Amino acid sequence: MRLTLEPRAPHAAPGPLPRLREAVVLVDGVLNGAPFKEACREAGLPVIGVYTFDRQTLEAMSPQHADGDAVSLYGNDPHRITARLKELTDTVAAVIPATEPGVCCAAEVAAQWGLPANPVPTAAACRDKRLMRDLARRTGIRVPAHEVVGEAADLRAAARRIGFPLIVKPATGAASHNVVLVDAERNLAGALAEDRRDLFGSVVDEWLVEEYVQGTEYAVNTFTVDGRHTVVDTWQYRLPGTDDYDNPYWDFVQVDQATTARAEVERFALDVLDAFGIRIGPCHVEIKLDASGPVLIEIGARLPGAGIPLQWQRHSDWRPYHDTLACYLGRRPMLADRRPRFDATVGMCFIRNDGPPGVLRCLEGIDQVAGYAGVEEILTPFRP
């Protein structure tokens, strides 16, 4: 384990860095880093950026990740990070996890400074799906039937016990990176990716072979202040037809009507927060609802990705980054008193490939979509 230090002050003179009177530590401010840093600037607090990702993956994912840092630290040992922080600043005002891998590190660093944070004993279960499943089962939270395998030789036997269709996913990671849906035994070959790294560059040593839960998928976003939970909103994954999910990304839309299903998944999400000991800050809980009720797919103890907080910021009276900062600073955020008020139903639509893999040659009509009613922004990261 190596910890490196890089000053980010422009034209910094050689020699010791000037000591900071007070700073916010932002752990893995990669996907949500810039708006968190803006909130800190408005509060007059410099940011010490801590990055736990594999360095090569970090640079590829976000070359400008360190922009706005007073100092940037790279490493994942909380004790070494704490020692360096004591050399850099008189006071750490808050430690905020911004992206998935930083949840554990942030909890441990905050605990060493005696700062508000979620409990260290359950932090790893918000990151590692093996621990997540184990903790959920011990506390009575329903999860998919699953087994853990380390090699391809173990996969076939586990798959036969679980049954088809099933999901094979890395024990760590996020999004759909190296996540495979297997509908029959003949298609098991290649289910364990040759690239044994997760989305964040960490080595994958084991996979989950997991029951494919057939039902509607929801995401419940919450915010917790001193152990008191508030549901911010609930989103539903929607498909154009009645087929079950194989790739869930088509329409991902905020549920703005009170329904029995929405009430059921929101109650379940709050039970999940209690089971995982969540005491502070935002959480993103992914749930499937089948004929037997809700099933926990994943919990993330941080703001959601995919630009959701930016939509909240544009279309509600809530400022998610500022409220998260306030909460970790020990102040009372707006969401401690009420849910946000929205001026629109927000969501996102995905263009996806349902055919075999190929090379993107053209993207027709995308400019016309900008003129459709209700379309606010078009993101096209992939080019022909």
Side-chain angles (χ1 to χ4, degrees), residues 14-362:
L17 290 170
R19 187 173 179 83
L20 300 170
R21 184 180 64 82
E22 187 177 30
V24 168
V25 176
L26 186 64
V27 185
D28 287 331
V30 180
L31 305 178
N32 279 319
F36 266 129
K37 293 174 188 180
E38 178 60 31
C40 291
R41 276 194 297 273
E42 289 185 20
L45 292 166
V47 172
I48 297 176
V50 172
Y51 302 95
T52 70
F53 284 31
D54 167 78
R55 188 65 180 271
Q56 184 176 352
T57 304
L58 177 64
E59 295 289 352
M61 185 180 288
S62 180
Q64 287 80 42
H65 61 272
D67 288 359
D69 291 350
V71 180
S72 301
L73 302 177
Y74 296 84
N76 58 12
D77 184 322
H79 298 285
R80 293 191 181 189
I81 290 167
T82 298
R84 293 298 290 128
L85 291 173
K86 289 179 178 178
E87 297 171 1
L88 293 167
T89 182
D90 295 332
T91 303
V92 171
V95 182
I96 302 175
T99 310
E100 199 106 330
V103 167
C104 301
C105 182
E108 293 196 38
V109 171
Q112 291 181 45
W113 286 82
L115 293 169
N118 285 311
V120 172
T122 57
C126 296
R127 164 84 174 105
D128 186 315
K129 294 174 181 60
R130 294 163 294 195
L131 302 176
M132 189 183 299
R133 298 288 183 261
D134 289 346
L135 175 58
R137 287 194 300 188
R138 291 199 310 271
T139 53
I141 298 296
R142 184 181 169 211
V143 293
H146 66 281
E147 293 190 24
V148 177
V149 302
E151 300 295 338
D154 306 323
L155 176 60
R156 195 168 300 276
R160 287 172 177 167
R161 288 189 290 267
I162 296 295
F164 297 91
L166 56 81
I167 294 284
V168 179
K169 63 175 69 171
T172 57
S176 59
H177 186 75
N178 285 341
V179 177
V180 180
L181 172 68
V182 183
D183 60 354
E185 187 169 349
R186 64 181 179 275
N187 295 325
L188 276 174
L192 301 189
E194 292 183 10
D195 173 17
R196 299 189 72 139
R197 290 186 175 270
D198 66 19
L199 180 65
F200 308 112
S202 297
V203 174
V204 176
D205 57 346
E206 291 183 320
W207 284 263
L208 267 69
V209 182
E210 189 167 272
E211 166 198 10
Y212 177 74
V213 178
Q214 295 180 308
T216 304
E217 188 163 352
Y218 295 88
V220 180
N221 297 300
T222 65
F223 198 89
T224 301
V225 181
D226 294 330
R228 181 176 174 271
H229 313 306
T230 298
V231 173
V232 176
D233 62 1
T234 297
W235 293 53
Q236 180 182 345
Y237 295 82
R238 298 176 181 171
L239 291 180
T242 58
D243 291 343
D244 197 32
Y245 298 100
D246 52 1
N247 180 347
Y249 293 106
W250 187 280
D251 290 344
F252 186 36
V253 183
Q254 199 179 50
V255 181
D256 59 355
Q257 295 181 341
T259 64
T260 301
R262 174 181 161 185
E264 188 172 10
V265 297
E266 289 181 358
R267 283 195 303 270
F268 182 77
L270 298 182
D271 289 342
V272 170
L273 299 185
D274 287 337
F276 280 74
I278 299 300
R279 300 290 305 163
I280 186 173
C283 276
H284 177 77
V285 188
E286 295 179 354
I287 298 164
K288 268 199 162 181
L289 185 63
D290 68 6
S292 299
V295 185
L296 175 64
I297 301 301
E298 187 168 305
I299 175 174
R302 35 74 184 165
L303 282 173
I308 290 175
L310 295 176
Q311 293 198 49
W312 288 338
Q313 201 151 276
R314 290 194 293 256
H315 292 290
S316 79
D317 59 353
W318 183 44
R319 304 177 79 190
Y321 300 100
H322 294 74
D323 251 24
T324 301
L325 173 62
C327 192
Y328 277 95
L329 287 171
R331 302 170 186 169
R332 188 170 180 83
M334 187 207 85
L335 237 62
D337 301 313
R338 62 172 177 82
R339 292 173 68 150
R341 301 187 182 99
F342 288 88
D343 61 23
T345 299
V346 296
M348 53 194 78
C349 304
F350 296 87
I351 300 172
R352 75 182 197 193
N353 171 38
D354 286 322
V359 176
L360 181 65
R361 295 298 186 192
C362 65

